Amino acid sequence: MRRRDLLKAAGVGVAALTTPRIGRAEKANKLVFVPTEDLNVLDPVIGGPRSMRNYAYLVFDTLYGIDTSWAAQPQMVEGHQVEEDGLTWTLRLRDGLRFHDNEPVLARDVVASIRRFAARISLAEALMAATEELSAPDDRTVRFRLKRPFPHLPEALAGPGGNVPAIMPERPAATSPFKPVAEIIGSGPYRFLPEEHISGARTAYARFPLYQPRTGGPVGFTSGPKIAHFERVEWLTLDPFSAMAALRSGEIDW
């Protein structure tokens, strides 16, 4: 009722209503956000609208991130070693990586995830076509043995794009890449709260306390690489006019 009344009484211009106002949340540790469309796809590999991609980067992490110069930088990996004239790439996972079910992120989870998202991402598919063997020699090591050099390997594992190269546990990663996963378990800075998800209305996320951001890195690459500024993030699905009125009243932040 309040939003309808606000719409009826709205007497300000659209330009004033569309100015984003940050910091007007109910509490300083919560962000309330209205996406451009409803979040109706939860599998980050399947792809879909921009809201799906943004949700995926909240909940899931990727092996590499893209800096402001569009270069791939280590994210879940602490680095890589290239040998044999570019035919062997050895990736080392950062220590302490955890999924939202508190299980450790293991190299076999990474291998299964790569095989799954490569079927939906053209550059990763090209990488797999150039790969002789993809293996997990130990819990923190992922190794590519290539048929031919593939210098853009980090970019193939980084994205960005409509389909997110998300790392997930081996169990859901075994799902066909053309069928949505049944479990949403990531290792990113926020946990998806399935009990609060109402399609067409609302989605909520809680900060994952075991997320360990990477420190350091080159200039232009956010140290972290992700930083959770809020304890909780809520997405509300509203039509544009309701969203503008809610923004004006301070019911939403962005």
Side-chain angles (χ1 to χ4, degrees), residues 163-230:
N163 306 83
V164 177
I167 301 302
M168 58 184 65
E170 184 179 27
R171 183 179 61 255
T175 305
S176 165
F178 302 99
K179 176 183 177 181
V181 294
E183 299 175 279
I184 305 302
I185 304 175
S187 63
Y190 287 93
R191 290 187 302 110
F192 173 72
L193 303 176
E195 68 278 7
E196 296 192 40
H197 176 60
I198 303 172
S199 183
R202 185 170 179 271
T203 309
Y205 314 89
R207 190 177 72 85
F208 181 48
L210 298 182
Y211 182 74
Q212 297 184 6
R214 189 179 72 89
T215 57
V219 174
F221 186 67
T222 303
S223 175
K226 298 177 184 177
I227 301 173
H229 292 283
F230 303 94

Side-chain angles (χ1 to χ4, degrees), residues 43-121:
D43 188 332
V45 170
I46 296 297
R50 185 180 296 267
S51 61
M52 185 284 305
R53 185 189 66 181
N54 293 343
Y55 135 83
Y57 282 119
L58 281 174
V59 175
F60 295 89
D61 223 345
T62 54
L63 295 172
Y64 293 84
I66 299 293
D67 67 15
T68 54
S69 298
W70 292 91
Q73 302 290 348
Q75 187 153 297
M76 292 181 75
V77 298
E78 62 182 21
H80 59 250
Q81 185 175 8
V82 185
E83 301 172 295
E84 299 179 12
D85 295 327
L87 294 180
T88 299
W89 288 65
T90 302
L91 283 54
R92 184 73 173 167
L93 295 177
R94 291 192 290 117
D95 190 23
L97 296 175
R98 290 270 170 181
F99 286 116
H100 296 161
D101 60 1
N102 293 333
E103 292 294 320
V105 177
L106 303 178
R108 66 173 180 265
D109 301 309
V110 173
V111 168
S113 296
I114 292 172
R115 294 189 186 283
R116 185 170 191 265
F117 69 64
R120 304 297 299 254
I121 300 174

